[in-house]
Amino acid sequence: MKLKNFLHTNGILWERGSSTPLGVSRKGKGINFAFFSQYATEVKLCLFSPHANHPFAEIALNPELNKTGYVWHILIKDLPGDQIEYGYKVSGPTEDPRNLFDPTRILSDPYAKGLNTNPHWGHKEYSDRSNTPRGRVIFDADFDWQKVPQPRLSMEDLIIYEMHVRSFTVDPSSKTKAPGTFLGIIEKIPYLKSLGVNALELMPIFEFDECSNHLINPKTHQKLKNVWGYSTINFFAPMNRFSSSSNWTSAMDDFRMLVREMHKNEIEVYLDVVYNHTAEGNKEGPWFSFRGIDNQVYYMVHPDGHYLDFSGTGNTFNANHPVVAELIVNSLRYWVNEMHVDGFRFDLASCLTRDEKGAPLPNPLVIQRINADPVLANVKLIAEAWDAGGLYQVGSFPGGGRWAEWNGKYRDVVRRFIKGTDDQVREFAKAMAGSQDLYGNGRHPYHSINFVTAHDGFTLRDLVSYQDKHNEENGEGNRDGANQNDSWNCGYEGPTNTRKIIQLRERQMRNLHAALLLAIGTPMILMGDEYGHTRNGNNNTYGQDNALNWFLWDELTKHANFVRFYRLMIQFRKKNSLLWRKDFLNKTDVEWHGHIPKRPNWGADSRFLAYTLHDTVKSESLYIAFNAHFQPAHIQLPPSPNGKKWYRIIDTWMAPPNDFIENPQTSSPLSYTYDLHDYSTLLLQAL
């Protein structure tokens, strides 16, 4: 039976509408709104002109006509203009403490493709009721991809560069036309190519409230920000403050342009996605969307109403509820289909493996759906395989061969060995060989995302300059951030003019970077480490919208020698297939050494490791040695294979440019022995 059209009292013409797809879509000459709420008893659609304080229409949906299952829907005809904002008022039972319905609040649609947030960074806070972000009616507008194909790089080929969009170019030293934006990154593509990276991992770009941090910097007395953005408001809408203009779809357009230009240059783009919690926090937090729509569906909630918190932020997303799992998968599909994203890094991914009561699941629904989805079949999936509730799944994250992992064990053992901690040599060898002990269960070396530093924790320079964290400027009395950093200040805490300590720190930075790029697995480097960025010992700079987080472009010139070493190390890895392999090493691929060839010392007091990598098919060999002792090591070199000779590429004790020799055959081949100084790394190549 054909349903009759209805004329709303304020002149809005509407029909019953369709329950699919969720969100806003075109249906013939109308616009369809579809909205899930299982426990709601009444839903009102509120329509606004851009930035208006009050709706020009408020339409109560008829449960008998505008509801199918748990989906409320309506088709609106002849909306005035092509720029409409919208939200929902939701009523429902409140006897159950898990429900938080409040019909006076206007809530944003979880499927909104854009929000009406301020385009200017730091200029607006969202109040609890009247100023909540509303959805924008946005359709998947045409974009000229110029037939640029996605790079489709193999995992073993990747050099991942973790970057914060705003912080990369917002400092005046970037000299970009659009600082702090997606377009600002495009201006720096020549730099990224010269560095040698081929994959960007962008810290969160979904809409978040940078003004949600209410702490004060006790040093500057300025209000801190939520710079990093691990506090998602919406899983489809890109951050308006990362766009170059205030146009209706500028964030979407600018991001697509960034992806397209990266792809032109054979650089993939991955998103750091936060599906483990939302910006709504605990019960005292703000109301944006999920809490007022279906609190007990979207969150893990105890029967008494309090949130289960495995994210450390006040709430945990109920990812394995079928509706929530569908939302997550649809979000991922959107970023792949419409934005051409190449991969995702899942923040605190172990939260996604828990059931509604928080118990770990062997086969989580959301992971199964991601793995089975054809749209996601060719994208990279990277798990941060732990959460704030103590679930640690490095080496055992569910999902099999589809998922790589941030290898936190690699980070820890490399830091410990390089600084000279006892009883680390055997674990260090495993880490350098691809962590087969973790990923030998049907996965590959490239499933290990190796890193020494990341956005949280010490930078590379701070790792060798500070014994303890110095987070006083975060306004939390130095209580925030990790206390265990496996760092070493090389004999003095913080900045020093002592030449010997400065040289040791520079050497240790080279050692750590060399260990990362020489290790089998997929390396990830941190923005700013290439020039030795310091955060002054602050290991949790999430709230610092200043030089502690900003990329300081002038520092590239000031630290040109280290930048050179950093770049050459990346380039060497890319040229040597011995270091980026698909399969684990077998007995013919590697020989382990100590000070004497084939006699490794695995003892607890050993601080020296050497080994030779061989490719018998290509007749290539590398000799790698790490001396993490405070005394020099007199070593015997193994015979060079196939009549070739050993040539030195790297000795981190040497002063630049001899720390990395670009044309080794212009120098003399090495003899039978070598004296490797304290805290030094040696790389030889058979030529």
Side-chain angles (χ1 to χ4, degrees), residues 344-360:
F344 303 92
R345 178 265 185 187
F346 293 76
D347 179 66
L348 295 181
S350 291
C351 285
L352 307 184
T353 70
R354 296 179 182 268
D355 67 15
E356 62 182 4
K357 296 180 179 179

Side-chain angles (χ1 to χ4, degrees), residues 41-333:
T41 56
E42 183 180 33
V43 173
K44 294 180 179 179
L45 172 64
C46 303
L47 302 175
F48 297 78
S49 298
H51 308 297
N53 291 325
H54 303 285
F56 65 79
E58 188 172 300
I59 307 168
L61 306 188
N62 185 333
E64 295 183 1
L65 184 64
N66 300 109
K67 186 181 179 187
T68 303
Y70 298 130
V71 178
W72 303 73
H73 47 81
I74 188 170
L75 182 72
I76 306 294
K77 294 289 190 71
D78 301 323
L79 277 174
D82 57 358
Q83 295 188 0
I84 303 295
E85 297 172 1
Y86 72 105
Y88 293 94
K89 290 182 178 180
V90 184
S91 303
T94 57
E95 297 81 8
D96 188 333
R98 294 174 296 178
N99 291 335
L100 295 177
F101 293 110
D102 183 346
T104 67
R105 300 175 185 272
I106 296 176
L107 305 168
S108 62
D109 178 6
Y111 278 82
K113 302 303 191 298
L115 299 181
N116 71 330
T117 59
N118 196 298
H120 304 294
W121 176 269
H123 283 204
K124 181 178 179 181
E125 292 188 51
Y126 307 120
S127 66
D128 205 28
R129 193 177 298 270
S130 63
N131 205 22
T132 298
R134 302 189 293 259
R136 285 177 172 172
V137 174
I138 292 177
F139 305 106
D140 299 330
D142 292 335
F143 179 78
D144 185 6
W145 289 101
Q146 299 176 359
K147 298 182 179 180
V148 177
Q150 294 182 243
R152 302 292 189 200
L153 302 178
S154 299
M155 283 290 295
E156 65 269 19
D157 295 333
L158 298 178
I159 309 287
I160 302 174
Y161 188 80
E162 190 190 25
M163 172 196 294
H164 184 271
V165 171
R166 173 174 168 80
S167 298
F168 189 56
T169 61
V170 72
D171 189 80
S173 62
S174 75
K175 299 178 181 178
T176 52
K177 297 177 182 177
T181 68
F182 296 129
L183 299 190
I185 299 174
I186 294 175
E187 296 182 59
K188 294 299 185 180
I189 288 177
Y191 168 75
L192 295 170
K193 292 192 69 175
S194 71
L195 188 61
V197 301
N198 54 18
L200 297 187
E201 183 173 298
L202 301 179
M203 291 169 65
I205 68 159
F206 296 175
E207 276 281 9
F208 63 89
D209 180 7
E210 74 276 14
C211 298
S212 62
N213 189 343
H214 300 295
L215 297 172
I216 302 296
N217 186 327
K219 181 179 178 180
T220 65
H221 304 293
Q222 293 180 339
K223 188 175 178 297
L224 295 168
K225 295 285 193 298
N226 172 19
V227 177
W228 288 352
Y230 290 90
S231 193
T232 308
I233 294 175
N234 176 286
F235 298 116
F236 293 84
M239 182 77 164
N240 284 332
R241 268 81 72 219
F242 289 166
S243 66
S244 60
S245 72
S246 58
N247 294 337
W248 195 250
T249 61
S250 61
M252 177 189 293
D253 297 337
D254 287 2
F255 179 77
R256 285 170 161 174
M257 193 178 301
L258 168 64
V259 174
R260 184 188 67 195
E261 297 308 305
M262 287 297 165
H263 288 173
K264 283 182 182 178
N265 289 276
E266 292 294 307
I267 298 175
E268 294 191 331
V269 178
Y270 311 148
L271 299 185
D272 192 340
V273 289
V274 187
Y275 295 114
N276 61 80
H277 73 280
T278 78
E280 292 186 309
N282 58 26
K283 273 200 170 183
E284 285 69 49
W287 294 53
F288 294 124
S289 180
F290 308 100
R291 167 176 292 152
I293 295 171
D294 253 335
N295 190 56
Q296 63 173 303
V297 168
Y298 285 109
Y299 295 113
M300 297 182 190
V301 187
H302 191 272
D304 67 7
H306 80 262
Y307 290 116
L308 305 184
D309 183 9
F310 300 103
S311 68
T313 64
N315 67 58
T316 308
F317 219 42
N318 193 17
N320 288 297
H321 185 288
V323 170
V324 184
E326 181 183 16
L327 171 70
I328 292 172
V329 171
N330 284 340
S331 168
L332 295 170
R333 289 169 61 95

